[in-house]
Amino acid sequence: MGPELSHIQSLTELDPKALSEVHKAHYASIYRYALHRLNNEQHAEDASSEVFVRLVEALHAGKGPSKSVTGWLFQTASNVINDFFRKEYRQATHPLDPHEMSEIGGAQASTNPSLQDPTLRKALSGLTEAQQQVLALRFSADLSLADTAKVMNKSVNAVKALQFRAVSNLRDALKDEGE
Amino acid sequence: MNRELDTAFENCLMAMDQGESLDQALSRYPEKADELRPLLTLASRTRQFTADLPSRATAMRSRSQMLGRAFELRTVDRGPAVQPWLRWSIALLGLSLFILISGGVGLMAASAQSLPGDGLYPLKRSAERIQLSFTPGLTNRLSLTITQDMRRLDEVLRLLELKRVEAVEFEANLSDRQGSRWQFGDIPVLVTQNTSIPSGLRVGDLLRIRGRTTSQGWVRADSIAAVGLTFDGYIEAMKGNIWVIDGRSLVILASSEIDGNLATGDLVRVHARSEGESLVIQRVIGINPAATPIPTLAPASPAADEPDPTTSSEADQDDRDESGDDESEDEREERATAEPDEDEGEEHEEGSSSGEGEPTPEAEETEDGSHEADDEHEGELKEIEFNGVIQAIDGNRWLIDGTTFLVDEETRLEGDPEIGDEVEVKAEQRQDGTLYAVRIDRHD
């Protein structure tokens, strides 16, 4: 997870250089994680920026990461994304199912060819939240099994099993879609 | 689902991460290959879901937003962590005690008129420091700092009027430079061989001068250092009196000069000064790339109306060379102050060989502050290497990590560099400070 403890010292002082280093080290993976969950580039950009603003505010309030910056960032990203879905849910006139939640995120057409895989997107949105989380952390954010376990507060073996179940369920969902 | 299969799947993923093909990875588990193959294929497909994202521009926007927020929060911390009424009570108490200790109101009033070298001057400076420490709000404190800096200039001018010899320290913008005679507004400063000067200073730069006033009406500089900085960049955010330009957060004060109607996204040239940890905008000017003349690759020729930032004239170099002989520093100073017209006459005479309007022969400053004869460096280009991110491309002006490089058809571009790419630049710096990119390599 990088040079965590030495960073935290400088981060608490909101040192621009230390903050820039953390941003450079983690922004891309946080963005990809957000994009995986939200299916919308603009929402992913907003969410990942919000994560780093929250980091600065938490550090200023003395409530920033104490051990792992990476873990803190991804847990915050997860909260930001859940807040986003909650907000959308409140604005909706009826309860949303996971497919509709996916539609909210992906309402605006993406210009990125990778995101134009509606079948996969739909299948992913049918997974449980934990399964979506593990695939986003492992395959979009490129976190190691150990780091994913820390972020998800699970054991490495539990994550390994969850990951396998997620991919298996995804395969089944795609079969149902006719692939 | 069994643990063996979970582990086999994970091991195959790791092997593929290391560069193995799907078949190579599966060859470790031939008995499970049929079951693992579709799952690993699907994992690769899922990985592609968000591949090659985000763009550099997206990352830079987020970084600016984060740093802007950090700057806001840092500035909140700078004020005393007490309620305003309590702060003023403490200020009043402190000031009362201070007045009592220093002998009353009369003494304070007298100290306000004191100059460096006077007995009451330390009292004046202490009172200023107390006033500053109890001033609430970042912008108020920065404004007061600038007011106090202006007071230093008035003190120096008064000392020069009185022909007093005192140690002084002040900050001012370099308004003119004629060899060893530099001008800071109304204050003439004499630069001697012993003056410590960094390279790259330009007319307009905000500098800190340490030295002594002389009875001849000059300040003889012991050291000159840059206080502010000048850079080009895009306005990324404008939030109240805090602007983010090129990733830097800058404070706008009432004294800041803002050129025209600027908006987010505009390319600007910023003259800023450091005040503690803050950067205060002195002046911000919009840059119109089309209207801004681009220096050519012809031999360097400093603008006639703007003395070259890093050089002094050959005649002045002669002055300096002479000063290294038996002549004492005071004698040199006397000569410089008493005979400025004569010196200038010599300059014209010696420079006349190149014709009127031709570039003045120059001397180049070395790192240790000494100057070398220019004829040894005539036409020599300083080569530099630079790593950074391309922030903007405006015609043949490329902004890379806040530094502008000129790019023309001679520039070798490797890897099709674009905005947001991290690049290595090899460039030549002309004597007028212009940087010409010779080669730009995109980092993979």
Side-chain angles (χ1 to χ4, degrees):
Chain A
M1 284 207 187
E4 302 285 1
L5 290 172
S6 59
H7 258 133
I8 290 169
Q9 191 85 33
S10 314
L11 286 174
T12 52
E13 295 160 10
L14 300 186
D15 173 45
K17 196 177 168 194
L19 286 171
S20 295
E21 280 176 21
V22 167
H23 189 272
K24 189 175 180 182
H26 298 289
Y27 179 76
S29 53
I30 291 284
Y31 176 92
R32 286 197 296 269
Y33 168 71
L35 186 59
H36 189 120
R37 300 284 312 276
L38 293 166
N39 290 322
N40 178 289
E41 289 173 49
Q42 188 56 54
H43 292 161
E45 183 177 342
D46 292 345
S48 36
S49 289
E50 175 66 17
V51 170
F52 287 93
V53 168
R54 284 196 191 182
L55 171 68
V56 165
E57 287 172 345
L59 288 165
H60 181 252
K63 294 173 183 173
S66 55
K67 289 179 184 171
S68 162
V69 176
T70 311
W72 192 96
L73 287 171
F74 278 98
Q75 276 157 3
T76 304
S78 180
N79 293 339
V80 169
I81 290 162
N82 289 338
D83 287 349
F84 174 84
F85 282 130
R86 266 196 291 274
K87 195 175 158 192
E88 295 294 330
Y89 179 85
R90 280 195 213 104
Q91 285 173 359
T93 53
H94 60 91
L96 300 176
D97 63 27
H99 290 276
E100 284 175 308
M101 287 168 76
S102 170
E103 290 301 314
I104 289 166
Q108 292 163 13
S110 170
T111 54
N112 187 282
S114 305
L115 288 174
Q116 293 171 353
D117 190 343
T119 317
L120 179 62
R121 196 167 63 191
K122 191 175 175 189
L124 279 167
S125 65
L127 300 179
T128 66
E129 191 181 329
Q131 288 170 354
Q132 287 188 47
Q133 171 101 330
V134 78
L135 294 186
L137 290 169
R138 292 287 282 126
F139 299 151
S140 288
D142 278 333
L143 290 196
S144 68
L145 206 58
D147 287 350
T148 305
K150 281 182 195 167
V151 172
M152 295 188 74
N153 204 20
K154 292 181 184 290
S155 69
V156 167
N157 283 335
V159 169
K160 219 189 282 182
L162 181 63
Q163 170 183 267
F164 190 82
R165 271 200 307 278
V167 179
S168 299
N169 289 353
L170 191 61
R171 179 198 53 193
D172 295 344
L174 286 170
K175 271 184 190 166
D176 292 344
E177 291 292 324
E179 279 203 16
Chain B
M1 228 65 65
N2 61 58
R3 184 160 291 178
E4 271 181 38
L5 210 52
D6 300 346
T7 304
F9 179 70
E10 175 61 24
N11 289 344
C12 287
L13 280 178
M14 285 170 64
M16 289 165 73
D17 278 346
Q18 300 294 318
E20 286 187 21
S21 68
L22 177 61
D23 288 330
Q24 283 171 322
L26 285 172
S27 66
R28 297 154 190 259
Y29 302 98
E31 73 286 1
K32 297 184 174 72
D34 288 345
E35 192 168 359
L36 289 175
R37 182 180 294 278
L39 298 179
L40 289 167
T41 306
L42 188 52
S44 297
R45 182 175 163 190
T46 309
R47 276 208 162 118
Q48 286 304 310
F49 195 56
T50 56
D52 303 328
L53 290 168
S55 69
R56 296 270 183 176
T58 304
M60 280 171 67
R61 274 197 295 274
S62 168
R63 191 186 72 136
S64 294
Q65 199 177 338
M66 176 191 71
L67 292 178
R69 183 67 181 132
F71 179 79
E72 285 172 354
L73 293 172
R74 277 202 311 274
T75 54
V76 168
D77 278 345
R78 291 224 186 91
V82 291
Q83 294 297 313
W85 65 269
L86 185 57
R87 186 189 308 153
W88 283 106
S89 303
I90 293 168
L92 207 62
L93 185 65
L95 203 62
S96 305
L97 283 171
F98 181 77
I99 290 167
L100 266 176
I101 292 164
S102 60
V105 177
L107 201 58
M108 285 291 290
S111 76
Q113 303 303 316
S114 64
L115 295 172
D118 291 345
L120 290 177
Y121 190 69
L123 194 62
K124 177 182 179 178
R125 297 299 297 270
S126 299
E128 284 184 352
R129 277 192 287 274
I130 289 173
Q131 187 189 6
L132 189 64
S133 64
F134 285 105
T135 299
L138 173 72
T139 51
N140 291 337
R141 282 193 294 280
L142 291 174
S143 296
L144 183 59
T145 304
I146 290 168
T147 305
Q148 291 177 353
D149 289 343
M150 299 294 285
R151 209 171 283 159
R152 300 290 86 77
L153 298 180
D154 291 340
E155 289 166 1
V156 173
L157 284 169
R158 185 81 185 117
L159 287 172
L160 294 176
E161 274 173 27
L162 296 170
K163 300 189 184 308
R164 279 176 54 180
V165 178
E166 300 290 352
V168 291
E169 181 178 345
F170 60 97
E171 290 174 10
N173 291 93
L174 177 61
S175 48
D176 194 14
R177 179 176 167 168
Q178 298 291 330
S180 58
R181 293 171 295 282
W182 295 23
Q183 197 70 30
F184 293 85
D186 294 330
I187 302 174
V189 172
L190 182 70
V191 175
T192 71
Q193 197 176 33
N194 296 325
T195 306
S196 159
I197 312 169
S199 60
L201 300 183
R202 293 168 180 271
V203 168
D205 283 353
L206 180 68
L207 307 176
R208 179 179 291 120
I209 301 98
R210 286 196 175 103
R212 295 183 82 80
T213 53
T214 66
S215 56
Q216 290 84 18
W218 294 82
V219 172
R220 189 171 62 210
D222 295 329
S223 69
I224 295 178
V227 179
L229 78 161
T230 300
F231 63 92
D232 293 349
Y234 283 87
I235 301 177
E236 294 167 7
M238 299 164 104
K239 212 171 180 181
N241 65 336
I242 296 172
W243 291 14
V244 179
I245 302 173
D246 185 33
R248 298 171 167 105
S249 296
L250 298 116
V251 181
I252 301 272
L253 296 178
S255 58
S256 303
E257 292 177 48
I258 301 169
D259 182 50
N261 292 323
L262 298 175
T264 307
D266 285 353
L267 178 62
V268 290
R269 176 156 301 155
V270 182
H271 298 279
R273 61 184 292 166
S274 306
E275 292 292 348
E277 291 178 19
S278 305
L279 273 179
V280 177
I281 289 184
Q282 277 201 300
R283 190 169 182 203
V284 56
I285 310 155
I287 301 174
N288 178 356
T292 308
I294 307 296
T296 65
L297 277 169
S301 54
D305 58 347
E306 185 177 318
D308 184 81
T310 57
T311 60
S312 58
S313 72
E314 190 177 51
D316 294 314
Q317 182 58 41
D318 288 343
D319 284 350
R320 286 173 175 248
D321 291 342
E322 283 169 30
S323 68
D325 297 328
D326 297 329
E327 194 177 24
S328 73
E329 197 171 302
D330 286 339
E331 283 168 339
R332 290 198 305 276
E333 177 191 324
E334 189 66 32
R335 180 167 55 79
T337 53
E339 304 172 347
D341 293 336
E342 201 174 311
D343 278 354
E344 278 167 20
E346 282 175 28
E347 276 180 32
H348 286 304
E349 200 173 292
E350 291 182 26
S352 64
S353 61
S354 56
E356 194 176 326
E358 290 289 314
T360 310
E362 309 204 339
E364 189 164 330
E365 239 170 41
T366 59
E367 278 182 8
D368 62 7
S370 64
H371 295 248
E372 293 173 10
D374 188 64
D375 53 3
E376 289 175 25
H377 295 269
E378 184 77 17
E380 186 176 316
L381 301 174
K382 188 178 168 189
E383 290 184 2
I384 65 158
E385 288 188 10
F386 185 88
N387 284 288
V389 175
I390 302 173
Q391 294 164 306
I393 298 175
D394 273 307
N396 58 349
R397 281 175 179 271
W398 289 36
L399 188 66
I400 302 174
D401 265 14
T403 303
T404 302
F405 293 86
L406 295 179
V407 175
D408 62 12
E409 64 277 6
E410 301 284 317
T411 307
R412 193 166 156 193
L413 301 174
E414 294 290 339
D416 197 19
E418 295 175 349
I419 293 173
D421 286 343
E422 206 165 323
V423 291
E424 181 182 344
V425 186
K426 286 186 179 147
E428 291 173 346
Q429 185 169 33
R430 305 300 307 263
Q431 288 175 336
D432 63 357
T434 310
L435 290 165
Y436 284 91
V438 176
R439 179 178 172 142
I440 299 179
D441 286 84
R442 191 179 81 165
H443 287 305
D444 290 326

